Amino acid sequence: MSKIVNVIKMAPKALLVLAPGCEEMEVVIATSVLRRGGIGVTMAGLAGNVPHKCILEVSIAPDCSLESVRDQTFDAIVLPGGFPGSEGMCASAVLGDILRRHEASGALIAAICAGPLALKAHGIGLKKRITSHPYRAELLKQDYEYSEDRVVIDGQLITSQAPGTAFDWALAIVRNLMGDEKVEEIKPRMRL
């Protein structure tokens, strides 16, 4: 008698890091697009489990603190940009540990706008091809192969430029984790 094994594929999980002073559009667009794509998003607050005031003074409440998920494993780590939000991410030892562990495991790491500065600060993806907000380009060119493209994918690293490229960036994350079919399924509902 043969055994039948049911394999249930778990939905991919993404950790989105919310920092005080981050770019709210990048946070909300990434969270919305990823969840529409069937990806479980945990929004973790760099400053704890309290509302974080973003760059344009919109407050966003995280699901939990970054510290509380430091030992968990995710399929993707997502870093919105914004300044001074990126400064907080650069200074966070907890985030550095999470990024290095996930890079070593082959997880997807995605950063947008000033978010790639945190990649540099923690030694993630050095010498890979990336992009960022053009105002931050000179800070990255020495350590990366810098591109002016709206979204850049180099292996498991996805970077993008600014709030205006956030939909393209989020869709690239969905494509990486869920495939082309899922992207084509959700784009019409968002009129993209």
Side-chain angles (χ1 to χ4, degrees), residues 12-16 27 30-36 38-44 63 74 78:
K13 299 185 313 180
L15 175 67
L16 185 139
V27 171
T31 301
S32 177
V33 171
L34 269 58
R35 286 181 176 165
R36 288 169 193 266
I39 298 164
V41 178
T42 299
M43 191 184 310
D63 300 313
F74 295 89
V78 180

Side-chain angles (χ1 to χ4, degrees), residues 38-174:
I39 298 164
V41 178
T42 299
M43 191 184 310
L46 191 69
N49 191 18
V50 296
H52 288 47
K53 191 174 283 191
C54 298
I55 196 166
L56 296 176
E57 300 189 15
V58 172
S59 291
I60 299 177
D63 300 313
C64 60
S65 70
L66 185 63
E67 177 67 38
S68 72
V69 295
R70 76 178 305 158
D71 296 325
Q72 292 184 30
T73 300
F74 295 89
D75 300 290
I77 307 298
V78 180
L79 306 179
F83 202 77
S86 59
E87 287 181 318
M89 290 191 290
C90 289
S92 172
V94 172
L95 178 58
D97 291 343
I98 291 169
L99 285 169
R100 285 187 289 276
R101 183 167 48 89
H102 282 81
E103 180 184 42
S105 74
L108 179 70
I109 297 177
I112 188 169
C113 194
L117 293 175
L119 302 179
K120 177 181 174 178
H122 299 296
I124 303 301
L126 298 174
K127 303 301 177 197
K128 285 194 169 191
R129 191 169 170 263
I130 69 164
T131 194
S132 70
H133 194 287
Y135 289 138
R136 303 294 176 221
E138 290 306 316
L139 299 173
L140 297 164
K141 287 182 177 178
Q142 193 169 5
D143 298 293
Y144 296 93
E145 181 184 331
Y146 194 83
S147 170
E148 302 276 332
D149 292 344
R150 291 172 58 86
V151 176
V152 173
I153 302 169
D154 189 341
Q156 291 300 100
L157 186 63
I158 300 176
T159 54
S160 191
Q161 292 185 333
T165 64
F167 279 104
D168 295 337
W169 175 63
L171 287 169
I173 297 168
V174 173

